[in-house]
Amino acid sequence: MPATSPTLDATATCVADFIDRVLSSAKVTAVDSIAATELTVSQLRMMFVLARCAGPSPVNEVADGVGLSLAAAGRAADRLVALGLVDRREDDRDRRVKRLSLTDTGHDLLAEQFRVHAEFVRGPLAEVPTDVRTRLHDAVAAAAQYLPAAHICRP
């Protein structure tokens, strides 16, 4: 008798349970790591949007990418510029347009967040037997091919 495939709901529940277990068994939480930056969620989201951009982006496009008003995005950008995480320059063709980009310090901060995130996941996975971890890797790698790419430039 052939084995039946799990339903989509059963797979979603299984994946959600796995993520919950990884999150609950990690030694350091991602929230603690982000809180240590003393940045708001909107400011961090702006930095992630900028990390996906090929070059300096107009403030209004960053605001749209984060879901903020232009005024709120401007205030968030002011704080990021003051911290040296983001650079703001006038557009070469239209001085009214301000373009934002991550500074080296901003890239370094995101790289550290990605490192902490990887360690956050690595710790609990170290407890999984190698043969199970290998099968998990193969299954996740195969499934990832069907999902949109993350499009974040990881330094």
Side-chain angles (χ1 to χ4, degrees):
M1 173 183 272
T4 60
S5 297
T7 65
L8 177 58
D9 287 343
T11 302
T13 299
C14 180
V15 170
D17 180 57
F18 177 77
I19 292 169
D20 288 345
R21 288 171 185 245
V22 168
L23 294 176
S24 67
S25 64
K27 304 289 187 248
V28 175
T29 68
V31 173
D32 291 336
S33 173
I34 290 171
T37 67
E38 297 186 10
L39 297 173
T40 67
V41 172
S42 293
Q43 290 164 344
L44 281 166
R45 288 178 64 208
M46 284 182 75
M47 291 182 66
F48 284 113
V49 166
L50 290 170
R52 291 191 306 250
C53 299
S57 298
V59 176
N60 65 310
E61 288 181 16
V62 176
D64 289 345
V66 178
L68 293 175
S69 69
L70 188 56
R75 288 189 298 274
D78 289 344
R79 173 84 170 124
L80 293 171
V81 168
L83 292 170
L85 301 171
V86 168
D87 183 51
R88 179 178 35 221
R89 298 184 188 270
E90 291 179 350
D91 185 273
D92 293 336
R93 293 178 298 248
D94 185 347
R95 293 178 56 183
R96 296 171 296 176
V97 175
K98 305 299 183 230
R99 292 186 170 272
L100 302 174
S101 59
L102 289 178
T103 63
D104 288 344
T105 304
H107 279 289
D108 290 347
L109 182 123
L110 289 183
E112 177 62 12
Q113 290 303 309
F114 285 122
R115 187 198 65 72
V116 167
H117 178 74
E119 188 58 38
F120 176 70
V121 173
R122 186 179 294 111
L125 287 179
E127 303 300 318
V128 176
T130 303
D131 64 316
V132 175
R133 201 170 53 238
T134 299
R135 290 194 316 271
L136 175 64
H137 171 271
D138 293 346
V140 169
Q145 295 177 14
Y146 295 94
L147 302 175
H151 298 302
I152 293 179
C153 304
R154 294 183 186 211

